[in-house]
Amino acid sequence: MQPYFNYILSLFTLFFITVFITKNSVAQDLNQPNNATSVSEKTFVDYKPIYKKWQNNYILDKIDYTKDRTIFHFRYVSHYEQGTATYYGPGEDLAWFLKNDKNSSEIFKMIEIKNIARNGKVEIPLLNAKRPVQLITHDNDVFTCEVHFPRIPNHIKVADFIEGVGAELKTNHFNCLDVQMKTFDSQDLGSQQDMIANITDFQKQEGVTNNPIPELPETIEEPKIDERIEEEQKVDGVFAQRFLELTNELRTNGCHCGGSYFAPVDEVAWSDTVAYATKELVVNLWKTDGMTTDIGKKSTVQRLSEVGIETERAYENMSYSFTEIEQAFRGWKLTPPQCKRLMDARVKRIGAARKEKYWSMILIY
């Protein structure tokens, strides 16, 4: 009797240990959405997202599934003549998050928001800090952005895209409910033509007249980039955001440039294309240890023309030997001619770049 009892006890102990290990292994996988065992590495795009929403004035353009991220492309039309569109950075109470519809305890926090644009022009390249960003809206302004999450595990079939924890039932929030999370072999991924048709119908429904409809990639002419800076052409989103913040802070507050006071003026927008043109300058100055805005017999305006921007007037501020963005910007602020350029009310777009000790910033009408 005793050996039989010990045998039963051993079996029970083995069963308990097995259950405990299995339970904890599953919990670990759920808390690590990038775990190779739970996330497919196949990349694809869902051009026909299926979901429910509270209001008519926003949609999901598409959902990108990259190797390590799931990216929601969000579009919103403002119907306020004097209003604000607020975007909340990661860690904010009202930041977007994804929730497994079948398991409300399984959530995925937003990593960052990229390319916040108004009417096709990027105004905030990157929001990855715990803070809100507000943009003034006018009637029929169209705002778009990319909301980045970790790659969602394949076992999640339906998810809720929620603006703020506990805000699922708030109809004034940008929520998309019951979003179908698809896989690479889903039959209803749609095509780019489907996405464009959906955006066209949506903007027509909302009475939008001032925002361009996206075109298919094959119809978009890529900017011409000098081969010498091919590896340098990428624009650092954090760098771009900080430069834009410093510029607009100066413009909206007003300042003294030398002995003259300049009243507050409108904010400007960031342009990656403009940044490419000035990147060519700093890379070449770094190579030649020079100090001029004309390189290879090309002026600032000519360099802009090569990347598709035609303008008769462009300013280019340069600086040398600074180690931080704030230092370079302060140098321009304290130099009257460059300060006046920063405060010129006619300037609408900027781009800036750095290569080690060289800094440059282009301002165009």
Side-chain angles (χ1 to χ4, degrees), residues 142-191:
V142 178
F143 293 88
T144 56
C145 67
E146 304 166 11
V147 188
H148 289 239
F149 298 96
R151 178 67 183 257
I152 305 305
N154 285 344
H155 73 266
I156 298 180
K157 306 304 181 185
V158 180
D160 294 327
F161 175 76
I162 307 297
E163 187 185 34
V165 176
E168 290 87 341
L169 301 180
K170 294 186 177 181
T171 59
N172 62 335
H173 283 229
F174 294 135
N175 297 342
C176 294
L177 308 174
D178 298 341
V179 182
Q180 291 191 14
M181 306 306 297
K182 301 176 184 177
T183 56
F184 74 97
D185 56 352
S186 295
Q187 299 300 309
D188 55 351
L189 293 176
S191 64

Side-chain angles (χ1 to χ4, degrees), residues 259-270:
S260 302
Y261 174 72
F262 285 75
V265 292
D266 290 339
E267 294 185 350
V268 294
W270 176 271

Side-chain angles (χ1 to χ4, degrees), residues 34 39-43 65-69 151:
N34 288 327
V39 180
S40 169
E41 293 187 353
K42 290 185 176 292
T43 62
Y65 293 79
T66 71
K67 183 177 180 180
D68 58 359
R69 293 194 178 188
R151 178 67 183 257

Side-chain angles (χ1 to χ4, degrees), residues 114-256:
K114 287 187 174 182
N115 297 323
I116 302 174
R118 180 207 309 268
N119 300 329
K121 295 182 179 179
V122 174
E123 299 195 7
I124 308 293
L126 177 67
L127 176 57
N128 64 353
K130 185 180 179 181
R131 64 186 182 87
V133 169
Q134 285 193 331
L135 300 177
I136 302 300
T137 70
H138 303 288
D139 189 28
N140 281 348
D141 275 349
V142 178
F143 293 88
T144 56
C145 67
E146 304 166 11
V147 188
H148 289 239
F149 298 96
R151 178 67 183 257
I152 305 305
N154 285 344
H155 73 266
I156 298 180
K157 306 304 181 185
V158 180
D160 294 327
F161 175 76
I162 307 297
E163 187 185 34
V165 176
E168 290 87 341
L169 301 180
K170 294 186 177 181
T171 59
N172 62 335
H173 283 229
F174 294 135
N175 297 342
C176 294
L177 308 174
D178 298 341
V179 182
Q180 291 191 14
M181 306 306 297
K182 301 176 184 177
T183 56
F184 74 97
D185 56 352
S186 295
Q187 299 300 309
D188 55 351
L189 293 176
S191 64
Q192 291 173 316
Q193 288 90 340
D194 292 322
M195 177 188 72
I196 291 174
N198 184 47
I199 294 173
T200 302
D201 291 343
F202 167 71
Q203 294 194 170
K204 182 178 180 180
Q205 164 197 305
E206 295 301 311
V208 173
T209 58
N210 62 341
N211 188 61
I213 300 296
E215 296 179 330
L216 293 176
E218 53 266 31
T219 66
I220 299 176
E221 184 177 350
E222 293 293 332
K224 298 177 182 178
I225 306 300
D226 193 312
E227 291 182 358
R228 291 171 299 173
I229 61 166
E230 185 175 358
E231 296 302 318
E232 302 283 349
Q233 69 184 25
K234 293 183 179 179
V235 177
D236 184 332
V238 175
F239 175 93
Q241 178 182 340
R242 184 59 182 147
F243 246 110
L244 186 64
E245 288 175 346
L246 289 168
T247 303
N248 285 332
E249 180 180 342
L250 184 72
R251 289 173 68 88
T252 56
N253 289 336
C255 74
H256 286 86

